[in-house]
Amino acid sequence: MIIDSHCHLDKLDTSHYEDGFPGLIAAAQADGISQMLSISVDTENFEPMMRQIETYDFIHASAGLHPLGVKSLDNFSVLEQQAQHPKVVAIGETGLDYFYQKDNIDIQQQAFLAHLKLSKHLKKPVIIHTRDANEDTLALLRSEADQSVGGVIHCFTEDWAMAEACLNLGFHISISGIVTFNNASALREVVKKIPMDRLLVETDSPYLTPVPYRGQQNEPKHVRLVAQYVADLKGVSLAELAEQTSKNFSQLFLKTFS
Ligand code: NI
């Protein structure tokens, strides 16, 4: 049993499955994927996403405004309502991305701050996207994050200094299919150093398809490839990696130890 800790289920094309979305979920289950966390990126996609996943008790959800494309906080009260849904186990994805977008840095920072406060208030962990914004991300985490609630730096691609700083703040680190890419040797060295009890794996599907399926749509079932790759880097079996990351997920998001 492997858990996909970050996927965008409402963004997947399911037309190649005879019965569409249920077929995609069944394919993931057949590959040993036991749970998924479907990530919301704006207030508009939340309701349709929830309708899609509502009958699956092993699929969890988040509520958040992605830093790329965030234009205002006018709708934040809507997000606050959405975040209280019992299926919502996390706040985000939120964070800072100065690599892809610099023209909305002010609003990215305000939104990130608002998510951190909401996370603290609802005691739901925060899911963070950070790219080329380490200093500002860490400053906001240090001043506003609730370390007892914690969260995850998802799709981690930064250096060891950033990983270490986030670990010291009590955060988990999630590794995506990027770790399998040819040019990801620096990331692979970072992964080797991340403690097993703070590690998660994810697909970020439909994006970031791991090798050898580059060029195709990513799907939750491919988290198995990510987990296998990370297990090899850590020198442990896939079963051990799967068990530990599933335990980490349960402790962080579900507050259980099973
Ligand atoms: Ni994502």
Side-chain angles (χ1 to χ4, degrees):
M1 56 162 217
I2 308 170
I3 299 180
D4 185 354
S5 75
H6 189 118
C7 50
H8 300 270
L9 293 180
D10 58 315
K11 310 235 180 285
L12 286 157
D13 175 8
T14 61
S15 58
H16 51 299
Y17 289 100
E18 208 170 296
D19 51 351
F21 186 75
L24 178 129
I25 298 303
Q29 286 193 293
D31 266 5
I33 315 312
S34 59
Q35 297 183 59
M36 297 157 226
L37 174 45
S38 190
I39 306 295
S40 180
V41 294
D42 57 50
T43 50
E44 288 77 37
N45 89 298
F46 182 82
E47 296 299 341
M49 182 183 89
M50 294 308 277
R51 276 197 294 280
Q52 212 172 13
I53 67 172
E54 64 190 353
T55 59
Y56 301 96
D57 61 0
F58 54 92
I59 303 180
H60 315 283
S62 78
L65 306 175
H66 197 287
L68 294 174
V70 63
K71 290 185 187 74
S72 82
L73 294 185
D74 294 351
N75 271 346
F76 205 77
S77 60
V78 176
L79 181 72
E80 287 171 338
Q81 288 301 314
Q82 294 174 340
Q84 291 181 43
H85 191 289
K87 248 177 139 41
V88 170
V89 299
I91 309 302
E93 66 183 274
T94 180
L96 303 173
D97 191 325
Y98 302 166
F99 182 80
Y100 283 112
Q101 196 168 13
K102 287 196 172 79
D103 62 354
N104 70 343
I105 284 179
D106 277 358
I107 194 78
Q108 284 192 39
Q109 291 178 353
Q110 289 170 39
F112 188 22
L113 177 63
H115 283 78
L116 290 171
K117 286 182 192 293
L118 183 60
S119 160
K120 194 185 288 190
H121 177 64
L122 295 178
K123 300 206 178 315
K124 293 185 180 186
V126 66
I127 294 173
I128 298 164
H129 169 117
T130 183
R131 185 107 195 250
D132 275 11
N134 288 349
E135 214 173 295
D136 289 355
T137 299
L138 287 172
L140 274 164
L141 288 182
R142 286 197 181 104
S143 66
E144 301 298 334
D146 183 335
Q147 291 191 31
S148 67
V149 177
V152 61
I153 314 298
H154 108 88
C155 193
F156 191 84
T157 52
E158 304 297 328
D159 61 9
W160 172 245
M162 179 62 173
E164 199 174 28
C166 294
L167 290 164
N168 287 340
L169 286 167
F171 278 77
H172 287 63
I173 292 181
S174 180
I175 301 301
S176 71
I178 288 178
V179 75
T180 70
F181 294 3
N182 280 338
N183 60 1
S185 52
L187 176 63
R188 286 189 276 275
E189 294 309 309
V190 172
V191 170
K192 288 179 188 170
K193 295 195 228 176
I194 300 171
M196 282 285 283
D197 64 354
R198 305 288 286 284
L199 197 59
L200 299 174
V201 286
E202 65 172 84
T203 57
D204 205 11
S205 50
Y207 319 109
L208 304 174
T209 310
V211 173
Y213 296 109
R214 301 292 302 145
Q216 296 178 30
Q217 173 181 256
N218 200 3
E219 292 185 19
K221 66 180 179 182
H222 291 325
V223 77
R224 169 178 282 277
L225 289 167
V226 178
Q228 179 69 65
Y229 202 96
V230 171
D232 291 346
L233 286 174
K234 304 295 270 180
V236 300
S237 67
L238 173 61
E240 191 181 333
L241 192 286
E243 189 187 338
Q244 182 65 56
T245 53
S246 297
K247 189 176 164 190
N248 299 343
F249 182 94
S250 299
Q251 287 176 338
L252 178 61
F253 293 116
L254 311 178
K255 312 300 178 204
T256 63
F257 300 90
S258 59

